[in-house]
Amino acid sequence: MKKPLVGALFTVLLLGTGIAPATAATGHDATATGTVKAQIQPKEQIKAKAVNFAGTVALSNCSGSVVRTPDSQPNDPALVLSNGHCMESGFPGPGEVVFDQPSTRSFTLLNAAGSGVGTLRASKIAYGTMTDTDISVYQLTRTYAQIESSYGIKALELNTAHPVQGTAITVVSGYWKRTYACNVDGFVYRLKEGSWTWKDSVRYTSACQTIGGTSGSPVIDNATGKVVAVNNTGNEDGQRCTDNNPCEVDESGNVTVRQGINYAQETYGIVPCIGAGNKFDLSRPGCALPKP
């Protein structure tokens, strides 16, 4: 996982000199032994079809999106999804879960063209962790209905099923106002980076060369328009299991390192943990997110 961006200008300068910026989330890759790779579709088939920036947000150091579950109601407080390592409180340690904590963080809401149309504000961090997954979910002070009434923008819907290998996807960065189109290359039993370990991570095909600041970007299924994962890391230097150089570990403990490959964390497991009123309830049936 990339370190949060300190400032866009510094990052742009780094990019201009060809040095990879420190970022909150980009791809790392190492293919575990036994992982079946998807057949890459022809280039014309992996282009985003109707994916745009509507509903995405820019954080101070990362990307994110306004999201809903299939059961979320118009008058429920809206939710913003990003990475656990993007939280303003810093990286949560292994085993640490941030739950129902006050927050006043602000987010710039983007329209379809990628223009900022307004500022949304959090009331709390509903859930955040870097254990098993790398997610943060903020509850906002406005409802979905209020956001749509003010800006004409609807929330992105979280898919309820496990992603499928070979699916054409687009990573949409609100921070950079940039998209990355590729396919789901496969899934990683355990993705280990420094002190953290993530389960069943999504590995992109090489076309998604995400950079610093793309951390927290929604990964959208081109065919459905639904969010299937959240972008979070990538192997920058080819090192083994170190910070910014995650490695793949299979069920037998075999380690594979893939320099330049990027990863995301699945999001379907969030849906069972959200009940009436968009409230997180970690005791709900089917909810397997780590508990505080």
Side-chain angles (χ1 to χ4, degrees), residues 67-277:
V67 297
R68 63 182 299 274
T69 73
D71 294 330
S72 294
Q73 299 301 306
N75 291 324
D76 287 341
L79 303 175
V80 162
L81 171 68
S82 189
N83 284 146
H85 74 261
C86 292
M87 289 190 294
E88 65 270 36
S89 54
F91 292 9
E96 182 181 355
V97 173
V98 178
F99 186 76
D100 207 26
Q101 295 297 309
S103 173
T104 58
R105 192 162 195 183
S106 62
F107 312 89
T108 301
L109 179 66
L110 306 185
N111 62 15
S115 298
V117 294
T119 299
L120 305 176
R121 191 166 296 279
S123 61
K124 66 180 179 180
I125 301 174
Y127 185 89
T129 192
M130 288 178 65
T131 298
D132 295 348
T133 186
D134 183 9
I135 61 169
S136 60
V137 182
Y138 290 82
Q139 180 175 299
L140 302 184
T141 58
R142 298 193 196 184
T143 66
Y144 296 114
Q146 289 171 330
I147 292 172
E148 186 172 356
S149 176
S150 296
Y151 308 112
I153 294 174
K154 295 183 178 181
L156 300 175
E157 185 173 329
L158 295 173
N159 197 32
T160 59
H162 190 284
V164 176
Q165 188 177 33
T167 298
I169 55 174
T170 303
V171 182
V172 187
S173 172
Y175 185 93
W176 287 116
K177 301 176 178 60
R178 179 176 174 183
T179 62
Y180 302 81
C182 61
N183 292 68
V184 174
D185 188 44
F187 305 98
V188 184
Y189 176 69
R190 296 290 185 267
L191 188 66
K192 181 173 176 57
E193 179 175 344
S195 301
W196 296 275
T197 300
W198 303 305
K199 297 179 178 179
D200 197 20
S201 302
V202 174
R203 180 179 60 245
Y204 305 142
T205 52
S206 59
C208 278
Q209 290 295 308
T210 48
I211 62 174
T214 61
S215 293
S217 299
V219 180
I220 298 175
D221 182 328
N222 292 353
T224 66
K226 295 181 180 180
V227 177
V228 296
V230 57
N231 181 65
N232 85 304
T233 196
N235 188 295
E236 296 180 357
D237 307 312
Q239 296 178 14
R240 178 184 168 110
C241 313
T242 63
D243 289 351
N244 301 321
N245 292 281
C247 62
E248 295 185 11
V249 184
D250 71 8
E251 294 179 74
S252 300
N254 299 305
V255 176
T256 307
V257 175
R258 293 194 179 191
Q259 184 175 359
I261 295 297
N262 299 303
Y263 301 88
Q265 300 307 306
E266 297 163 358
T267 51
Y268 76 99
I270 298 173
V271 177
C273 303
I274 298 176

Side-chain angles (χ1 to χ4, degrees), residues 4-51:
L5 291 173
V6 176
L9 177 60
F10 179 63
T11 304
V12 170
L13 290 174
L14 289 178
L15 288 172
T17 59
I19 301 173
T23 67
T26 63
H28 295 307
D29 179 21
T31 301
T33 302
T35 299
V36 179
K37 297 191 68 175
Q39 181 177 359
I40 300 175
Q41 299 180 21
K43 187 174 181 179
E44 65 273 15
Q45 291 183 318
I46 66 173
K47 291 181 180 177
K49 296 176 181 177
V51 176

